[in-house]
Amino acid sequence: MTELQMAPNYAPWDRNAFLDRLGTFRNVEEWMSKPDEITEAQWAKRGWTCVGPETVGCIGGCGKELLIPLEPTRGIEPSEEAVDDHHEWSEEAHKELVRKYTEMIVTGHEEGCLWRTRGCDATIHRIPLVHQVTTLDALKKRYESLCEMSSDLPSNVLTPQGLNVSRLLPYLFRIFYPNATRAPPDDHPSSPTRTSSPPTRSADQPTINTRALTLAILGWQGDADHSISGIASCPICFRRVGLWLFKSPLSSSMSPAVSPPQSPIQDQSSCDSRATSTTFSDRDESIINRLDPVSEHRDYCPWINGKTQSGDPAPGSTEEPQPGWEVLRKMIMNRRPASMYPKAGATNRQSIIPGPRVEWSISESKGKTTEDKDKERWARLKKLKEVFKFGKKPKAGKKK
């Protein structure tokens, strides 16, 4: 028996069980991408598991299996009405088939199956980004796993609008280099990142691989399968990307490009302007030499999909749902930057506390004996006593 068969089948509250079911759809030879209404995430939320080519089953539950074909090129044709004169699916037939499969996500179970009554909550796919220590520790692990394959990282890694990795470096410095004695400046320059091996934690000049950090913030990590090198994966949507696809032979002999641009749109426009004076092969090479980590996720992945990360909005809520990377970015910005931490070897208490210095207590105490301090303390207490006695009236019935 497999782990899915041994574990309790009906556990709509169990996020790990949901991810286990979702992971069975990762094989592209058995499951092709589907429209939003019938993605693998929707099937997994209702207890379905991929058990074969375009086939889902309720393992450990009612045991029902369903065939979910959409492409006639696979040799599976649900009905003749869905095929036009040129042996292609008509748009209307395709929509009707999607509506039918949407209903079957629920009705496909047997009558007595609990999955037919209730599925997983809308927030089951949400990335737990609440506990700061745990979240930042996971970020560090993803970053380190990517640094192990730094020579495979593409020179240009695009970033979504609103993510400025250079601004996050001072906040992450103490996480990545807790024993370093020197912090980088807050205004980290956008300089070329020359990293051919995992960054060395040097006390003199610590560095952070911005390409690896960009991928880690956007949810990617080095794939655990060491049989094939240079693969980044997302354990939330189960996408795997071969990083060598985004490295041209020319880039291997050149120094890596500058830090990622602020917006994919801005970078694409600059790419188009240069392409007008180049040949097709040069233009094709420049396009493939750019990795867009956002578009490589599946559309429903909570790292890039705010609706998946937030779940169903509260009634009357007008707040825009935020994807996982944006939640993580704000958490990082809420930390103290490295410049606000004390320098190594500092013993002065005032260097630990940011803000205005408090020197009056130290300067006033110099040169005074214990007897003088006691006299000042009693004098202050006497003043406080007079303040509280001011305006009080004698109690009724008492005569002096």
Side-chain angles (χ1 to χ4, degrees), residues 2 48 51 62-63 77 134 157 205 221 253 281 317 320 343 346:
T2 65
W48 297 101
V51 296
C62 62
E77 301 182 7
T134 304
V157 180
Q205 191 176 2
Q221 66 183 28
S253 60
S281 59
S317 175
E320 187 72 17
K343 296 180 180 179

Side-chain angles (χ1 to χ4, degrees), residues 73-374:
T73 55
R74 288 184 159 294
I76 307 173
E77 301 182 7
S79 62
E80 295 181 358
E81 292 79 11
V83 185
D84 61 10
D85 296 335
H86 298 89
H87 303 284
E88 295 179 354
W89 292 107
S90 68
E91 184 178 354
E92 188 59 34
H94 185 272
K95 290 181 179 179
E96 181 63 29
L97 197 57
V98 170
R99 284 194 291 266
K100 174 185 177 182
Y101 289 152
T102 304
E103 295 177 358
M104 291 177 63
I105 292 177
V106 178
T107 61
H109 289 284
E110 296 288 354
E111 288 290 341
C113 185
L114 295 175
W115 284 112
R116 187 179 180 121
T117 305
R118 178 176 177 267
C120 295
D121 189 79
T123 60
I124 192 67
H125 209 174
R126 175 188 295 170
I127 307 169
L129 301 173
V130 179
H131 192 263
Q132 188 182 79
V133 175
T134 304
T135 301
L136 296 180
D137 183 63
L139 171 63
K140 180 182 178 182
K141 290 179 179 178
R142 293 196 301 272
Y143 168 78
E144 291 176 342
S145 67
L146 291 164
C147 284
E148 292 178 359
M149 58 176 70
S150 59
S151 60
D152 296 315
L153 297 177
S155 301
N156 264 349
V157 180
L158 304 183
T159 58
Q161 187 173 5
L163 177 60
N164 188 335
V165 177
S166 297
R167 290 188 59 189
L168 301 179
L169 297 182
Y171 297 87
L172 292 172
F173 180 77
R174 289 291 172 179
I175 300 176
F176 295 160
Y177 304 104
N179 298 324
T181 58
R182 179 179 168 188
D186 289 352
D187 51 346
H188 186 79
S190 296
S191 58
T193 305
R194 301 174 181 269
T195 307
S196 58
S197 60
T200 304
R201 298 190 175 186
S202 171
D204 296 329
Q205 191 176 2
T207 58
I208 292 180
N209 189 325
T210 55
R211 294 170 296 163
L213 178 59
T214 301
L215 291 171
I217 292 175
L218 294 173
W220 296 96
Q221 66 183 28
D223 194 77
D225 184 8
H226 298 288
S227 60
I228 304 177
S229 61
I231 293 182
S233 63
C234 173
I236 306 301
C237 68
F238 298 98
R239 273 281 289 166
R240 301 176 76 205
V241 177
L243 299 178
W244 62 83
L245 295 173
F246 305 92
K247 292 189 66 176
S248 63
L250 183 63
S251 65
S252 61
S253 60
M254 298 175 61
S255 60
V258 297
S259 297
Q262 292 302 306
S263 170
I265 299 177
Q266 295 175 357
D267 187 79
Q268 185 62 42
S269 62
S270 63
C271 173
D272 294 340
S273 64
R274 293 192 301 270
T276 56
S277 60
T278 59
T279 62
F280 175 78
S281 59
D282 293 337
R283 181 164 62 254
D284 182 61
E285 182 181 14
S286 65
I287 292 174
I288 201 173
N289 196 28
R290 284 167 168 78
L291 170 61
D292 185 357
V294 172
S295 64
E296 292 300 327
H297 282 285
R298 302 195 189 277
D299 293 337
Y300 57 79
C301 183
W303 278 116
I304 64 168
N305 191 312
K307 185 178 179 181
T308 306
Q309 176 64 17
S310 302
D312 292 332
S317 175
T318 58
E319 185 178 356
E320 187 72 17
Q322 297 178 342
W325 72 262
E326 177 67 19
V327 178
L328 177 58
R329 184 194 69 83
K330 291 184 176 181
M331 177 181 288
I332 296 172
M333 294 293 290
N334 287 334
R335 287 179 55 84
R336 291 194 302 174
S339 60
M340 295 179 64
Y341 284 83
K343 296 180 180 179
T347 56
N348 187 358
R349 181 176 178 271
Q350 294 174 0
S351 64
I352 300 177
I353 305 175
R357 296 184 177 182
V358 183
E359 298 181 350
W360 61 269
S361 60
I362 300 176
S363 60
E364 289 183 3
S365 62
K366 291 181 179 180
K368 294 184 178 181
T369 63
T370 305
E371 186 178 353
D372 293 335
K373 293 178 184 179
D374 291 339

